[in-house]
Amino acid sequence: MKYMTEFRNFAAAQALSRELHSLCTGIKEIKIMEVCGGHTAAIFKYGLRDLLPPNIRLMSGPGCPVCVTSNSFLDYAMALSREPDVIIASFGDLLRVPGSHSTLLAEKSKGGDIRICYSSLDALELARKNPSKKIVFLGIGFETTAPTVAAAIKRAEAEGLKNFLVLSAFKTMPEAMKALLQSGELALNAFICPGHVSVVTGLRIYDFIARDFKTPCVVTGFEPLDLLQAILMIVRQLKDGRSTVENQYTRAALPLGNPAAQALLNEIFAPSDVEWRGLGVIPGSGLGISDAYQAFDAQKVIPLQLEPAREQPGCICGSIMRGVKVPTECKLFAKACNPENPKGSCMVSDEGNCATYYKYARNSRTTVIENEAGTS
Amino acid sequence: MKVLEVNGTVGQVEIGGVRRAVDLSLVAGVKVGQFVVVHAGFALSVTDEDEAQKTLEIFAEMARRVAEADAAAGSKAGSDQ
Ligand code: SF4
């Protein structure tokens, strides 16, 4: 497939790997966090850790939308699903994530009207077809997904659809990266920044991290050569004593991002305090629905009082989100908790750390970089 | 994903033989034949083919240098590989 297969070339991967080995000889350990769950999944899928010198340590961060969604959000969604005139519209992954006491899937089997959507536009269609119901779209994710939901709200407004609501837990990445650096738990040396977030936001959102925290940031794509080159760019920065924001993903992420998507974000959402699993409430890291669009805010239209949320006993997803633990340190991993029967959010999503470890790192080493002549 | 059809702000994209409807409202001016990054039903950016090519050339150059270095090392060692 064009612009995928070429970025999986084995000879180039070996060349990058050798360059990294020679640059890293004799230097102390470099800790790099890949913030995005999509990057973590690619790193394992292509066995990239095996191609890195031993003194480069990759750590997985909090960039999996389902994983960082808090139990209080899930509890709210489930409570809404028990309201008589509500249809919940959600991305499929979220249905299997345990909240404090239940999952959306269990609520669905008990009669809750919960529909799986691929896009916010599917939920908009539900609103058109069910005028007597309130459609609540569960808004999770980052700057990548938020504009798509903002676009749906704009259209609902234009069409006069009053039964389309969004329960927003949208989050912005840089504040979480800052919180991780400030916690001092990790002593990170650099960030591999999320590619699709950057496609929307552009590169400037990371400037303060490179400048104020002297931490190099490289935006990259999701193919193996993208990631290896990004790591090489980071190592070069560190060796030169530089810390800047660099773009490896020049084919998709423009320096200024996607202005149309940003305009939608700024119009429909406003910065809010939001809870991240594992990181707690980070001030200003959320995208709440702005005052002008309150009529679409599920929390304003259907306010509910809930008991405080609780975490699943034994699940350490929170520590995994902060990068301080890895899935194999969880006592439930691959025993009581597995993809068929997930006990925590990180085992549910394809981008979840526990799911990635389960799939690729449980028993064997995997290196499945394709040759250029491979599948296309 | 490759753009197959553009009808105003909606279109069809294809990846690995699978066709999908996509909203194109956030990538004004996109044309049939271009490649787009799609997320949750929306195209978010149009692939810059020149930039893709530049990146691939860097990789090809690195692979070529390594192959040359190997060949040089091999001939020094008297290897015929
Ligand atoms: S293995 Fe399961 S229970 Fe353990 S941290 Fe991961 S998701 Fe939570």
Side-chain angles (χ1 to χ4, degrees):
Chain A
M1 280 175 275
K2 198 156 186 216
Y3 301 127
M4 295 170 76
T5 320
E6 303 98 310
F7 287 87
R8 298 175 188 173
N9 178 279
F10 187 63
Q14 277 185 317
L16 285 159
S17 168
R18 274 212 226 173
E19 179 84 11
L20 278 166
H21 276 87
S22 78
L23 273 177
C24 290
T25 309
I27 64 171
K28 66 176 185 3
E29 186 179 65
I30 296 174
K31 282 189 193 165
I32 304 172
M33 174 175 275
E34 83 274 0
V35 178
C36 169
H39 283 152
T40 304
I43 285 162
F44 278 90
K45 180 175 175 193
Y46 297 108
L48 299 187
R49 287 186 173 189
D50 296 344
L51 295 178
L52 298 179
N55 46 359
I56 291 186
R57 186 147 153 230
L58 295 183
M59 312 174 84
S60 309
C64 151
V66 167
C67 306
V68 291
T69 299
S70 68
N71 281 4
S72 52
F73 177 88
L74 289 161
D75 292 351
Y76 206 101
M78 287 181 235
L80 283 173
S81 79
R82 292 179 210 119
E83 296 287 302
D85 56 344
V86 166
I87 299 177
I88 298 286
S90 172
F91 294 126
D93 286 1
L94 205 56
L95 267 63
R96 301 171 62 231
V97 180
S100 297
H101 304 287
S102 181
T103 63
L104 285 161
L105 200 59
E107 296 303 311
K108 186 172 159 72
S109 68
K110 283 191 239 158
D113 196 345
I114 300 169
R115 317 275 181 100
I116 292 176
C117 294
Y118 161 71
S119 162
S120 59
L121 300 178
D122 301 342
L124 209 54
E125 189 57 24
L126 280 174
R128 291 185 194 108
K129 288 197 175 136
N130 298 278
S132 63
K133 300 275 191 177
K134 294 191 185 90
I135 312 303
V136 178
F137 184 78
L138 303 183
I140 63 156
F142 303 101
E143 294 95 326
T144 325
T145 319
T148 70
V149 176
I153 290 178
K154 265 304 253 196
R155 274 176 223 182
E157 185 192 37
E159 291 175 30
L161 274 178
K162 295 199 164 41
N163 62 333
F164 177 75
L165 304 173
V166 173
L167 186 67
S168 177
F170 285 115
K171 298 176 172 65
T172 52
M173 225 54 256
E175 286 71 19
M177 292 160 70
K178 178 175 152 188
L180 286 169
L181 290 171
Q182 283 178 329
S183 79
E185 276 182 319
L186 295 174
L188 283 175
N189 299 107
F191 282 113
I192 296 175
C193 297
H196 289 157
V197 163
S198 311
V199 158
V200 168
T201 61
L203 272 62
R204 286 187 187 160
I205 59 164
Y206 311 110
D207 279 353
F208 77 98
I209 291 177
R211 186 187 60 231
D212 301 344
F213 294 89
K214 302 272 175 283
T215 305
C217 293
V218 176
V219 170
T220 189
F222 296 84
E223 298 300 336
L225 297 189
D226 290 326
L227 283 153
L228 288 172
Q229 192 187 19
I231 295 166
L232 185 59
M233 289 161 85
I234 284 171
V235 171
R236 285 191 177 133
Q237 283 203 38
L238 291 170
K239 285 202 82 163
D240 296 349
R242 287 180 293 130
S243 66
T244 58
V245 181
E246 288 184 305
N247 189 9
Q248 185 280 334
Y249 201 28
T250 52
R251 65 187 184 281
L254 296 171
L256 297 179
N258 182 328
Q262 289 166 25
L264 271 177
L265 280 184
N266 292 335
E267 181 179 355
I268 307 290
F269 295 107
S272 66
D273 302 344
V274 75
E275 184 184 352
W276 299 60
R277 187 185 299 278
L279 296 165
V281 175
I282 305 177
S285 72
L287 292 170
I289 295 173
S290 67
D291 289 347
Y293 288 88
Q294 277 196 13
F296 299 93
D297 187 341
Q299 255 177 310
K300 296 269 163 54
V301 177
I302 316 174
L304 300 172
Q305 288 300 325
L306 300 183
E307 284 173 24
R310 63 173 197 118
E311 296 304 317
Q312 286 295 318
C315 173
I316 58 164
C317 276
S319 304
I320 293 171
M321 287 295 96
R322 294 200 306 279
V324 294
K325 289 213 167 130
V326 294
T328 43
E329 290 175 80
C330 175
K331 290 196 177 70
L332 306 179
F333 177 77
K335 295 188 186 103
C337 181
N338 56 63
E340 281 72 49
N341 183 19
K343 297 276 182 241
S345 60
C346 314
M347 190 57 97
V348 174
S349 163
D350 279 348
E351 296 189 358
N353 249 303
C354 295
T356 299
Y357 266 72
Y358 189 89
K359 201 162 165 192
Y360 298 109
R362 233 174 347 140
N363 22 46
S364 67
R365 285 151 66 97
T366 43
T367 305
V368 289
I369 290 189
E370 296 169 24
N371 273 301
E372 208 165 6
T375 52
S376 68
Chain B
M1 296 189 185
K2 189 172 184 174
V3 179
L4 299 180
E5 277 174 32
V6 178
N7 300 308
T9 61
V10 294
Q12 291 278 325
V13 288
E14 182 260 343
I15 185 158
V18 182
R19 276 174 82 110
R20 242 189 215 172
V22 68
D23 185 288
L24 300 171
S25 60
L26 299 176
V27 288
V30 67
K31 293 184 185 63
V32 170
Q34 288 186 310
F35 288 78
V36 286
V37 171
V38 175
H39 180 80
F42 285 72
L44 292 179
S45 92
V46 182
T47 301
D48 184 326
E49 305 208 15
D50 291 341
E51 287 295 338
Q53 219 45 54
K54 275 190 221 162
T55 308
L56 288 171
E57 272 157 29
I58 294 172
F59 296 147
E61 173 63 20
M62 289 187 75
R64 198 177 54 77
R65 277 208 316 264
V66 166
E68 276 175 13
D70 282 356
S75 62
K76 248 184 236 157
S79 156
D80 60 359
Q81 288 190 345

